Amino acid sequence: VSATRAEKSISEIPMALTVIESKNIHKGRQKIGLDESLNRSPGIFSQNRYNFAQDLRIAIRGFGARANFGIRGIKIFSDGIPATLADGQSGVDDIDLNILERIEVLRGPSSSLYGSSSGGGINLITQDGPSTPFLETGFTLGDYDQEKYFFKTGGQTNQINYYASASKLKYGGYRENSETESTQLNSKIRYNFDSDSHLSLILNLVDSPLANDAGGITLSDVTKDRRQAQARNVSSNAGEEIDQQKIGLVYQRTLNDESEITIRNYYLWRDFSAFLPIGTHIPFVSNDGVVEFNRFFWGGGIQWNKNAYLFELPYRLVTGIDIDIQKDDRRRYLNEGGQKGALSFDQLEQAESYGIFVQNELDLADSITIAAGLRYDHVKLAVDDEYLNNADQSTDLQFNKLSPSVSLIWVVQPKSSIYVNFATSFETPTFTELANPARNMTTSLGGFNNVAAQQARSIEVGLKSSFFDNKLYLDIAAFSMKVDDEITSVSNIGNRSFFENADTKRRGIEIYSQLSINENITGTLAYTYSDFKFDYFGETTTYVGNKLPGIPSNYLFAELEFSTESGMYFAADIVYSGKLQANNANNISSSSSTIVN
C-alpha cells in the first residue's frame, strides 16, 4: 500500500489502515456511490447515500460527521492528485468507480503526513492498462429509472501504458426531487522513459447538468410518506449543476539504489450553480438561495524517499513539500420561488495551503521499528468582498500548525505485527463554516465568524495478523482521542447552519476480519464501536457528556461470498447501524437500521 507516502506491506504500517481490493469494489455493486465499497472498512460511517446534490457525508472516527454537504475533515487522493480543496472540503462526484483498482483507508489522525483536514485519509488508485489491449462496454438498468452505461479500454504499447473510460448515469431516485444525470470521461496515460522513470498524465471531465436535492424531512413526514421531498426544496427548485475539468501530472524517478523522487502538478476548473432552500418566507432572513461560483484549484508537490543505514541500522526517510491554492469567484442571488433573482452577495475567496513534512523510520532490530513524523503547515483563508451594499466585509485568517507523530511496531512474524501510535491532526474551518449568522440578517455586520481550527491528539494500539496459512486475517485497533475546538454546528437560520467550537473525547474499537473458508467461500466482518462525547461546550454546560451527533455507537458490516473458477459468484451482506443522536442536545435520535443486500 502507498497511503503513508511509501510503498510498504500493510503489516509493517504502525497505524490502522484498510485495503479494499478491486473485487470488493466491482463484484455485485451498483457502483453508484463510494459508500458501497467503504462499508466494509471499520471506522467509517457514510450518510446521504444517493443524494448527488449533497454528496456523500463520509466520517472517519467522527471526523466529517458535522458536514451538511460534501466531506470535511478527511483527505482524499486519486492517483496522487488531491480531491480535497485547500480550505478542507472534499468531493467525490468526479470519481468513476468503474476504473478503481483499490481503495486504501487511513483510519485516524494523519496531519503529520497530509496536513490540515487529515482526521483520516482515503487513497484511490485507478487501474493500469494490461499488457494485452482490451475493449469493454456494459450497461445497468434498474428500478427508480436507473440507467448506467460505460465504455473502457486500456493496454500497453511500447513505452506507453493507457487506460480510458467513459460513463453516463441517469437516476430518478427513490425520493421526490432527487433525479440526477452525469457524464464522465477519465484517462490515465503513463509514458515510461526508461526502467527508472515515468510520467503519468491524468485527465478527468465531468458534466452533471442535473442533481436535484430532496432535502431533509421530519420524522412525522417520514411516517406519512418517506419518499416525499421537503416542501421548500420543491418550491425552491433545489439542486445543482456542475461542469468540471481536471488535469494532473505525476513524475517518478529512481535516482539510485537508495532514493527516488516524485513530482506532482495538477489543475482543476469547476463551474457550479445551485438553487438552495434557504431563507424563503422567513422574516429578517435573506433568501439568497442561488449560489454560483467559478473555481480554479491548482497546486503540486515534491517528495523524496531514501533508504539507507544509520550506525548500521536500516532507516527510511520521506520528506517533501505540498502547495495547494484555491480561488473561488462566488456569487449569491435571491431565490424567487425557484427562479434566479437579484444579486445579493459577491466575493472572491482564496485559500492557500503550504506544507513541509519529514517522516523517518529506524529499524532498532530485525522485528522492531520506531517511526516519527513532523509537518509544518501554513493555511491562509481570505475574502475580498465585492458586494458593498452591506459594508466592506473583506478579511482574512491565517493558521500555522506543527503536527507530530511517533509510533513503534513489532513484527512478531511475517504478516503479523503489534503497534502503538501517537498521532495528531488539525483542521481549519471551511469558507462556508466561517459564515457569520449576522451576515444572514438585515444588518451591516458580517465577515468571518469566530471559529478556531480544530486540533486532535490520539493514542492507538493495534494488532494485524494472518493465521492458518493466511486463511484468516485479523485487524484490531483501539484508540483514545482528545479533540480541542471541535468545529460544531450550533444554530440553523433559514436552512443554513452556523458553527462554533467545542471539545470532545473519543474512544473506539475497530475490528476487521476476513476468512477464506475454502478456495470458493470467503467471509468478511467489520465492526466499529464509537464512544464520542462532548467534554466542553462553552456556556451550554448541559451538553457536556452528550454524544457527538451523526455517529452511531455500533456499526457492523458482514458479508459471505461464494465464487467459482468460471467467474460465477454469489454474495450476501448485511449493514447494521445502531442508534445515533441527531443534535447536540441529544433530545432527538434516529433508531437503528439494518440493510440486507
Side-chain angles (χ1 to χ4, degrees), residues 426-467:
F426 83 103
E427 179 181 350
T428 65
T430 64
F431 280 115
T432 56
E433 291 165 345
L434 285 167
N436 193 326
R439 171 182 286 177
N440 206 44
M441 310 299 285
T442 56
T443 73
S444 61
L445 299 175
F448 281 154
N449 195 15
N450 185 26
V451 181
Q454 174 177 303
Q455 303 180 60
R457 301 179 301 279
S458 172
I459 291 286
E460 175 186 315
V461 294
L463 164 71
K464 305 174 187 179
S465 186
S466 297
F467 304 93

Side-chain angles (χ1 to χ4, degrees), residues 128-134 154-162 190 192:
D128 291 325
S131 57
T132 302
F134 80 99
Q156 178 82 37
T157 303
N158 298 324
Q159 294 171 282
I160 298 176
N161 183 279
Y162 63 93
R190 185 178 69 244
N192 299 303

Side-chain angles (χ1 to χ4, degrees), residues 442-509:
T442 56
T443 73
S444 61
L445 299 175
F448 281 154
N449 195 15
N450 185 26
V451 181
Q454 174 177 303
Q455 303 180 60
R457 301 179 301 279
S458 172
I459 291 286
E460 175 186 315
V461 294
L463 164 71
K464 305 174 187 179
S465 186
S466 297
F467 304 93
F468 310 121
D469 294 327
N470 296 326
K471 292 183 178 179
L472 173 65
Y473 176 74
L474 183 63
D475 179 341
I476 302 176
F479 65 89
S480 178
M481 191 187 313
K482 181 73 169 67
V483 182
D484 295 328
D485 293 325
E486 174 118 19
I487 300 172
T488 305
S489 176
V490 294
S491 63
N492 294 278
I493 302 175
N495 269 22
R496 181 179 293 164
S497 293
F498 298 94
F499 297 82
E500 292 181 9
N501 294 111
D503 296 344
T504 59
K505 287 184 178 179
R506 306 182 190 181
R507 297 179 299 172
I509 298 173

Side-chain angles (χ1 to χ4, degrees), residues 53-82:
Q54 298 288 348
D55 215 339
L56 272 182
R57 176 192 294 157
I58 301 175
I60 299 180
R61 294 186 178 176
F63 294 102
R66 74 178 187 275
N68 292 72
F69 62 89
I71 301 167
R72 307 284 195 276
I74 60 178
K75 273 285 172 65
I76 302 179
F77 289 87
S78 178
D79 290 328
I81 305 301

Side-chain angles (χ1 to χ4, degrees), residues 333-573:
Y333 302 85
L334 300 184
N335 187 334
E336 303 284 5
Q339 298 297 318
K340 178 178 172 181
L343 180 70
S344 60
F345 177 93
D346 187 1
Q347 66 183 24
L348 297 175
E349 301 171 349
Q350 180 160 323
E352 302 176 11
S353 176
Y354 306 92
I356 181 169
F357 62 90
V358 59
Q359 304 276 329
N360 198 5
E361 297 180 354
L362 180 65
D363 294 340
L364 301 179
D366 290 340
S367 59
I368 300 177
T369 300
I370 187 171
L374 185 66
R375 178 176 173 121
Y376 172 77
D377 283 277
H378 171 76
V379 180
K380 180 180 179 181
L381 305 178
V383 164
D384 183 8
D385 189 1
E386 297 190 338
Y387 182 79
L388 304 179
N389 292 12
N390 57 352
D392 187 355
Q393 299 170 23
S394 301
T395 186
D396 65 78
L397 288 174
Q398 298 189 44
F399 305 89
N400 299 283
K401 184 62 179 175
L402 274 173
S403 302
S405 67
V406 62
S407 58
L408 184 70
I409 186 168
W410 175 30
V411 181
V412 182
Q413 57 185 17
K415 297 187 178 182
S416 294
S417 57
I418 300 171
Y419 68 87
V420 59
N421 174 34
F422 169 78
T424 59
S425 74
F426 83 103
E427 179 181 350
T428 65
T430 64
F431 280 115
T432 56
E433 291 165 345
L434 285 167
N436 193 326
R439 171 182 286 177
N440 206 44
M441 310 299 285
T442 56
T443 73
S444 61
L445 299 175
F448 281 154
N449 195 15
N450 185 26
V451 181
Q454 174 177 303
Q455 303 180 60
R457 301 179 301 279
S458 172
I459 291 286
E460 175 186 315
V461 294
L463 164 71
K464 305 174 187 179
S465 186
S466 297
F467 304 93
F468 310 121
D469 294 327
N470 296 326
K471 292 183 178 179
L472 173 65
Y473 176 74
L474 183 63
D475 179 341
I476 302 176
F479 65 89
S480 178
M481 191 187 313
K482 181 73 169 67
V483 182
D484 295 328
D485 293 325
E486 174 118 19
I487 300 172
T488 305
S489 176
V490 294
S491 63
N492 294 278
I493 302 175
N495 269 22
R496 181 179 293 164
S497 293
F498 298 94
F499 297 82
E500 292 181 9
N501 294 111
D503 296 344
T504 59
K505 287 184 178 179
R506 306 182 190 181
R507 297 179 299 172
I509 298 173
E510 299 163 356
I511 301 173
Y512 177 80
S513 177
Q514 190 169 73
L515 173 64
S516 298
I517 299 173
N518 57 41
E519 60 183 14
N520 301 114
I521 303 176
T522 302
T524 302
L525 175 73
Y527 170 73
T528 304
Y529 169 74
S530 303
D531 180 20
F532 302 163
K533 295 181 178 179
F534 287 112
D535 187 45
Y536 171 79
F537 210 108
E539 297 179 358
T540 315
T541 57
T542 55
Y543 288 178
V544 174
N546 286 0
K547 292 184 177 181
L548 191 70
I551 296 291
S553 296
N554 294 278
Y555 192 74
L556 173 72
F557 170 89
E559 180 189 65
L560 189 65
E561 180 191 356
F562 172 80
S563 60
T564 66
E565 293 182 359
S566 66
M568 181 182 292
Y569 64 90
F570 170 82
D573 68 52

Side-chain angles (χ1 to χ4, degrees), residues 232-257:
R232 194 189 303 170
N233 280 59
V234 176
S235 64
S236 301
N237 190 29
E240 67 180 33
E241 57 180 284
I242 296 168
D243 184 24
Q244 176 179 294
Q245 305 84 41
K246 179 169 65 176
I247 181 171
L249 294 166
V250 180
Y251 175 74
Q252 290 182 295
R253 181 174 183 84
T254 300
L255 301 176
N256 50 49
D257 293 339

Side-chain angles (χ1 to χ4, degrees), residues 51 175-178 212-217 228-231 233-234 238:
N51 187 324
R175 295 178 59 198
E176 180 187 359
N177 203 60
S178 58
N212 287 339
D213 183 10
I217 56 176
Q228 68 176 297
Q230 183 185 142
N233 280 59
V234 176

